[in-house]
Amino acid sequence: MNAALTEQRTGRPAGPVPLFRPVVRREFADAVREFLDSPRLLPVPVPTEDRADLAESVELAGRLYGGLRQPHPLDVGIVLGAAHLPEGLAELARPFARTWAGEEELADLAGFRARHGGSLLVVGRYDRLTLDPVRALLMATYRGPRHGLTLLSGRDDASVCWNVAKQYAEPALDVDALGLFTDTDRPPRLPGVQVFDDRDFERADIQAEILGTRWRRVGFQGHGKDDSVNLGEFTICGLNATAPAAPGLLGPRCAYGLPCYKPEDKLVPLNRVEAVELVLSACNSGPLADLALYDPKYQLLLNALDGPARTVVSAVSVHDSDRPENVAWMHGALVGADSVDTLNASLAGSHPYPAFMRFGLPGAPEETPAPPAPADHRPDPLLLTAGTRLTAYLASDLLPHNHPLRPRLTRLARKVDLWVARPTHLADQSPEQIEASLTADLQSLDHVITEQVAADPETELMNYPAYFGDRSSLDPDVREVTCHCGRPAQEFTRRGLLPQVLDTTCAVCMRCGDVTFRIPDSPALLAHAPDEVAQGGVLEVRATVTAARTGPVRLGLFVPTYLREDTTVEPATTRLRLTGGRAEDVAFRVRFAPGTAPQAYYFTVFAVQDLAVSTARRHFGVVPRTA
């Protein structure tokens, strides 16, 4: 009787009310106003017209969330491209910020921050999340207030509406699983967190583990592109089968009718993962719209936003997340800490830029513990004495004991030790003789190194950025430079902590990733080439090299091992005499076989001078031949 009276009085069924209500677009604005008038009594409207994938996500969300909530508002909100978004969307998002500012205010970012300060929410379609203005907002906020920048976005209008609607949902009480899947680490297994690493990938059905669990938070860490994260033979896949492809944009192999590069029966569709929060801890898992390598149809981030996850944490560019970040994230997840603030704080001692972005509203400050202080990897300066290049190569474990370079390096090191230990005027050779002998030895060794790298780019010496970088701390002096793609990049140096650890300099672009590596006072490189080349075509490469000192420099170009059978590089190596400090161009050509698979690739130009190897990596795409 009471139920019947309730239904008669309210016009609504007396039973449990669904959390989300699919509507057609023309009904969305009116449905939003009805919901806002009774936010805890009516379901949140979601325009799912012509979006079967969103309708499925609404159904999955019904198993994840147990009720509705009024989200804690951030300080300031901005809608990008408001005039082109559906009517009602701005109203649905209005409770998410205390103050709303106009998009035009971002033209004066310093003034905007001075006027508003605090935490910032940006709502907009993915195509509006571009380098300008999002990069400036990221850089201005990630070391500032808690939850400095939060984004709500999606591949199209319906996806943006869905992600705004999900912010009203409260996780069900029985959705409490925490999980970490990593292909690059074997972290400790903390009580309360389900950890899967490469050992588990060999003996467990990881696809079933991921899709068969309702996760409060789950993180995926591994190598991949912006369309996938590798977990052994399993792959987190960004393909949205119902999304249309954009003509002319680069795609992975499957975009051209080729089979996936991993077993297709072990693909995990990201938009089907039942998780309140998804953490994509892979490089370029959430690039900005004009930094993305692949068509939005294949974007990990967009597929995650199309799914039931209320919060998605993704990496805008490259980062060196490993054991420290995994442990910090697991400890934070156990106590409800914010994932983005935790991960960026852990990486602050290694990266001068924000690695992770937050899509989805953070919890209220009283609900989330304060993030840890930014990591500082700089120890006592007495420990920061750097050794010479010979000392580093011989005293470290960079080169194995049987490496063919070791005998030559050892002989030269003995000479250098003798010349350094004894004053020149007491030595057996004059300064001129010593210089001539050293120059001859260096040139000979540079030739050997160049030929070894050209024959096998995976030689141990080429691992020096990672080896020395892991034993270094970040120098706070960061320089703004221009990437070879024309976009702004940051160049920074990691200082070796031990005498046998060399300093390394890296340039990072949000579009291209870590584009250059070199040892200070070694040749600087940039690589210029078209973005695409047709099957059977020729990629014209122009390398710009600036020698550290006047003298001979050897250069070469190589492609990944899996591409070498389909390509011919002309010339493979070359030797030039260059003027120190003056940029000069060197030409290479890469010829492709007609059967080269269309997809994204990269090449690497390298330069060798005085035992130092400098590299510059450039992405490009092979596309099908036109008739």
Side-chain angles (χ1 to χ4, degrees):
M1 175 68 71
N2 290 339
L5 290 175
T6 299
E7 183 171 351
Q8 182 180 9
R9 185 172 59 252
T10 63
R12 297 189 304 273
V17 176
L19 300 181
F20 303 103
R21 176 164 70 98
V23 298
V24 296
R25 183 171 304 228
R26 66 177 181 275
E27 299 174 349
F28 180 65
D30 291 337
V32 166
R33 296 184 187 102
E34 292 177 7
F35 166 74
L36 293 176
D37 287 340
S38 305
R40 293 187 179 232
L41 299 176
L42 293 176
V44 193
V46 181
T48 59
E49 188 177 10
D50 300 325
R51 288 294 303 275
D53 58 325
L54 292 190
E56 293 177 17
S57 294
V58 168
E59 184 176 342
L60 290 176
R63 302 205 293 262
L64 271 180
Y65 304 104
L68 298 179
R69 61 167 187 165
Q70 188 69 19
H72 181 82
L74 298 178
D75 294 320
V76 186
I78 288 182
V79 177
L80 300 180
H84 304 288
L85 291 172
E87 182 186 357
L89 176 60
E91 293 178 70
L92 189 61
R94 188 162 293 125
F96 299 170
R98 296 185 180 91
T99 302
W100 287 86
E103 181 178 358
E104 67 280 356
E105 290 194 54
L106 293 179
D108 176 19
L109 183 60
F112 177 85
R113 298 296 299 158
R115 288 189 299 274
H116 299 290
S119 54
L120 175 63
L121 170 66
V122 174
V123 182
R125 214 167 45 205
Y126 178 66
D127 59 6
R128 299 301 297 263
L129 301 186
T130 56
L131 194 64
D132 181 20
V134 178
R135 179 180 184 271
L137 294 174
L138 274 172
M139 300 303 297
T141 59
Y142 92 104
R143 290 280 179 89
R146 292 178 66 183
H147 316 318
L149 178 64
T150 295
L151 303 165
L152 290 176
S153 187
R155 72 176 68 245
D156 55 19
D157 293 353
S159 294
V160 179
C161 294
W162 172 227
N163 279 277
V164 171
K166 285 185 287 186
Q167 306 312 307
Y168 286 96
E170 187 72 29
L173 293 177
D174 60 343
V175 177
D176 55 4
L178 304 175
L180 174 65
F181 295 78
T182 171
D183 195 24
T184 64
D185 184 26
R186 292 180 175 180
R189 301 185 177 237
L190 301 183
V193 181
Q194 300 180 46
V195 177
F196 299 83
D197 58 37
D198 63 306
R199 296 166 294 187
D200 303 292
F201 301 159
E202 298 293 332
R203 56 178 180 252
D205 185 348
I206 298 302
Q207 183 188 67
E209 293 284 356
I210 295 173
L211 298 179
T213 304
R214 295 182 301 157
W215 304 97
R216 176 64 66 104
R217 296 188 185 190
V218 62
F220 302 115
Q221 185 195 30
H223 298 297
K225 300 186 180 72
D226 49 357
D227 71 316
S228 60
V229 179
N230 294 323
L231 301 174
E233 289 297 295
F234 297 88
T235 305
I236 305 297
C237 178
L239 170 65
N240 186 308
T242 65
L249 295 183
L250 190 63
R253 295 167 60 93
C254 60
Y256 305 102
L258 297 174
C260 183
Y261 72 106
K262 299 293 283 294
E264 296 193 15
D265 62 336
K266 294 184 178 180
L267 297 179
V268 180
L270 193 54
N271 60 346
R272 300 275 70 85
V273 177
E274 296 182 49
V276 177
E277 179 180 294
L278 282 171
V279 177
L280 304 174
S281 185
C283 293
N284 305 302
S285 58
L288 300 176
D290 53 349
L291 306 178
L293 193 62
Y294 283 146
D295 185 312
K297 178 180 177 68
Y298 308 94
Q299 287 285 322
L300 273 171
L301 168 64
L302 297 183
N303 213 30
L305 295 177
D306 284 338
R310 190 180 69 186
T311 302
V312 177
V313 176
S314 61
V316 67
S317 185
V318 295
H319 56 93
D320 291 333
S321 288
D322 208 338
R323 177 70 53 81
E325 286 66 50
N326 287 337
V327 172
W329 180 78
M330 287 191 291
H331 281 296
L334 288 168
V335 298
D338 184 83
S339 294
V340 169
D341 290 346
T342 298
L343 291 169
N344 280 338
S346 182
L347 286 167
S350 299
H351 299 333
Y353 54 85
F356 290 94
M357 294 194 303
R358 177 191 308 101
F359 289 81
L361 295 178
E366 61 271 15
E367 298 173 355
T368 55
D376 188 348
H377 298 169
R378 292 173 298 177
D380 191 286
L382 293 176
L383 298 177
L384 301 181
T385 304
T388 66
R389 293 170 186 174
L390 282 168
T391 301
Y393 293 156
L394 292 171
S396 70
D397 289 328
L398 174 65
L399 304 179
H401 71 279
N402 59 348
H403 194 279
L405 276 178
R406 274 193 173 272
R408 295 281 304 272
L409 293 173
T410 301
R411 288 196 294 271
L412 180 56
R414 289 171 180 162
K415 289 184 181 181
V416 171
D417 183 71
L418 178 64
W419 294 332
V420 170
R422 298 175 62 188
T424 304
H425 66 278
L426 296 178
D428 296 331
Q429 296 172 291
S430 68
E432 293 76 18
Q433 290 173 317
I434 292 174
E435 181 179 1
S437 179
L438 177 60
T439 300
D441 284 333
L442 288 174
Q443 291 185 24
S444 178
L445 275 166
D446 286 352
H447 172 75
V448 173
I449 291 171
T450 302
E451 295 304 311
Q452 286 186 358
V453 173
D456 180 14
E458 297 183 3
T459 178
E460 291 86 348
L461 184 61
M462 294 295 281
N463 192 43
Y464 77 85
Y467 182 90
F468 292 142
D470 287 343
R471 294 156 178 82
S472 304
S473 66
L474 182 67
D475 190 310
D477 180 25
V478 180
R479 298 161 296 282
E480 290 285 339
V481 298
T482 300
C483 177
H484 49 222
C485 71
R487 297 179 175 89
Q490 290 180 292
E491 187 177 66
F492 56 94
T493 298
R494 293 186 176 124
R495 302 292 181 189
L497 304 180
L498 298 171
Q500 69 270 26
V501 176
L502 293 176
D503 296 347
T504 51
T505 296
C506 173
V508 169
C509 164
M510 285 188 175
R511 164 60 178 83
C512 303
D514 42 0
V515 291
T516 65
F517 284 109
R518 63 188 177 92
I519 295 168
D521 299 319
S522 66
L525 278 175
L526 282 177
H528 307 279
D531 290 332
E532 296 179 355
V533 62
Q535 293 172 306
V538 177
L539 187 71
E540 301 286 351
V541 177
R542 176 172 57 87
T544 301
V545 56
T546 304
R549 68 173 181 86
T550 298
V553 178
R554 287 167 170 81
L555 296 104
L557 185 149
F558 61 84
V559 297
T561 303
Y562 55 84
L563 188 58
R564 301 190 85 178
E565 291 185 0
D566 291 329
T567 56
T568 302
V569 178
E570 303 169 352
T573 63
T574 186
R575 177 185 182 275
L576 301 173
R577 183 173 180 83
L578 303 178
T579 302
R582 188 174 75 185
E584 300 187 45
D585 289 344
V586 183
F588 292 92
R589 308 185 88 197
V590 185
R591 298 183 181 274
F592 291 85
T596 305
Q599 66 171 58
Y601 295 103
Y602 66 90
F603 65 83
T604 303
V605 177
F606 68 97
V608 183
Q609 186 180 38
D610 301 340
L611 306 183
V613 183
S614 305
T615 61
R617 185 177 62 188
R618 181 75 160 89
H619 288 287
F620 67 96
V622 173
V623 297
R625 287 176 296 174
T626 57

